[in-house]
Amino acid sequence: MKRDLWIVVFFIALAALFFAPVLFGNATLIPFDNLFRFPPWHAFAREFGVTTPYNELASDLLLENYAWKQFIVESLRAREIPLWNPYLFAGVPFLAAGQHSALYPFSILFYVLPLDRAFGIFVALQLALAAMTMFAFARVLGLGRFAATISAITYAFSAFFFVSVTFPMVIAAAAWLPAILACAELVIRSPNSARQIFFALVGAIFIGVQFLAGHIEISLYILIVTAFYSAWRVVQCSVSSVQYSVVVGRRSAQTVLILGAMIAVGIALGAVQLVPLYELVQNNFRSGSASYHDVIGWAYPLKQIITFFIPDFFGNPTHHAYVDVFDFTTRAAPNGTIFWGVKNYVEAGSYVGILPLLLALIALVSSFRFQVSGFKFQVSSFKFLGSGNLQPETVQPVTWLFATLALISLLFTFGTPLYAILFFGVPGFNQLHTPFRWVFPYTLSMAVLAGIGAQVLEIREWRLEIKRFNLQSLISNLSIILGVTILLALAASWFARDHTLALADRILRESDMAQLAFDSGRMFYSYQFRNIALFAIFLIGAGITLRVSSFKFQVSGSEFHASRLTSHVSRLTSHASRITQYAIRHTNHLWQIIALIVLIADLFIIGTQFYPRANPRIADFVPPAVRFLQSDQSLYRITSY
């Protein structure tokens, strides 16, 4: 228990480190510099040194979320319930809309702290919460502490979470999904009705809380994923019974009823927000405003696959300059920001890190045995060491459950015909014009699979061989070789600069989108040099991690032979066995440390650059035109087009 508490502290420390500039520095998460993009602030931009906002894509954090929280605080200070917002058009319902997160428990931070400080603390706590809930879910599944930690970090610091800083209510809702799934799993596995009801009540509370976070779309995904997971596990547990009987059937039916009651009670607990929201959306202009073909057009294009491996390939809203790799000078972007993608950076946030992708691959391959073309794949003695103690017959369904969920999520994300099932078959889904948000269940799935892959590497008895060749070594060697090859190719292209720049110019001429962001092939090459180099470096780092983890298997064999000699030969072998065990223990720690360093460095280098960090003092400036309007006490309305 004490070790788990230290891991929780570790997650909080990671979140604090991730948001250090806005937690411990003089910056605020609210992008006040984005105000100077709009009149009348724009006229004073140079006076305040705001030439290009740090992250133009984060304006919703200021124009919506900050404005909402400010309105709530002002209403509470006036001892009023913020039911109605008089500042938009002729007035609109406020509390019913929900996205303001006014009723969400963590929102108390906004009511007791200055808003410019509260936003950073709120978002950091939500990422830490996401890590904690994923850790708990992984432990319920039976993963050890280290494997669960890998899952937690992958989930909480993935691109889906850090780009959603612009929408804190998205992060707040998504953070609870692993906890809900953990409760569903405990309901399914509990031996008696009392325990099932207890865990169902806890799960219902979590469902109710995530509704209060204020993003009904994420809540809908949470309900779909929970239903998918519960149905899969109930069927799997029934089928895996030694012999199907009436008793097993009754227990399965009871479990389904309790899980249904968990969701129903959770919805009831969120009814304080859901009922007025339902009334409000009856007048929503989005209903029927976009056709199926329109919505599919907003899905990921096929070329977006590259951002699953190189997230900044199409640019980044925080990149306003680049390093020319030939003369090593920093040059400003000609258009202020480097971006040439079809989907904006928030919508395209799908990166989970290179190491988790390889660990997920190991989890998939290790979950089955088959024979093809004379190559024999074999997995021996699967026994997870975590609290749930997953047995061989349950490892495979859990692994393939999340593999299936990841695949389905990707099919939805890329707008395949499968999305028609949701658009035409699920009530209200025609109002969701964001198929790309299915990267949320994909991210969850990859985090779980990465943890399972890490657990596989921890098990000494694990063997997966193609004849006499270890698949783990194959993956690690290929990763290292590919990464080194990419770096050597980059070096060769740097020395053969004439040919390289000619090729870069040709690529630039053939892309209208790239020409909007780059003024020359040299700029295009210099910018992509950094992105491709990072991909290669973390590919090598992931390969080294897998390679180091395999050392313990070789030592494990020595330990086995040593233990056999102990009982038959001499006491000398006992000392050898102790030394071997000591080596195994420290080799385990070594690869685990390397894995954490590689994973955290990967996600932090990509993620920490995205969120805003503005000077809070520039928010004190009030343009003369605004002061004039504030002094006018007559009745009037202002709108903009």
Side-chain angles (χ1 to χ4, degrees), residues 3-33:
R3 293 173 64 183
D4 291 332
L5 291 177
W6 278 114
I7 292 174
V8 168
V9 172
F10 176 62
F11 293 150
I12 296 174
L14 276 183
L17 178 62
F18 193 88
F19 291 102
V22 298
L23 292 180
F24 309 114
N26 296 322
T28 177
L29 189 70
I30 307 169
F32 288 124
D33 51 341

Side-chain angles (χ1 to χ4, degrees), residues 543-564:
I544 291 175
T545 301
L546 300 183
R547 191 64 185 164
V548 173
S549 70
S550 69
F551 293 165
K552 70 173 185 288
F553 297 135
Q554 300 170 11
V555 178
S556 178
S558 301
E559 180 193 26
F560 173 74
H561 293 299
S563 61
R564 290 178 64 182

Side-chain angles (χ1 to χ4, degrees), residues 504-551:
D505 285 328
R506 188 169 65 189
I507 294 174
L508 191 61
R509 286 194 301 268
E510 294 176 356
S511 173
D512 294 334
M513 295 292 291
Q515 292 176 36
L516 298 176
F518 305 100
D519 60 2
S520 66
R522 179 166 178 159
M523 177 186 175
F524 179 79
Y525 172 79
S526 296
Y527 182 74
Q528 300 301 352
F529 190 98
R530 173 255 187 195
N531 295 327
I532 297 173
L534 280 178
F535 169 68
I537 290 170
F538 287 116
L539 196 60
I540 294 171
I544 291 175
T545 301
L546 300 183
R547 191 64 185 164
V548 173
S549 70
S550 69
F551 293 165

Side-chain angles (χ1 to χ4, degrees), residues 9 71 139 143 171 198 314 317 434 442 508 569 579 581 629:
V9 172
F71 176 67
R139 294 288 285 159
L143 302 187
I171 296 175
F198 171 76
F314 294 111
T434 52
Y442 162 80
L508 191 61
V569 184
I579 294 173
Q581 291 176 2
L629 293 172

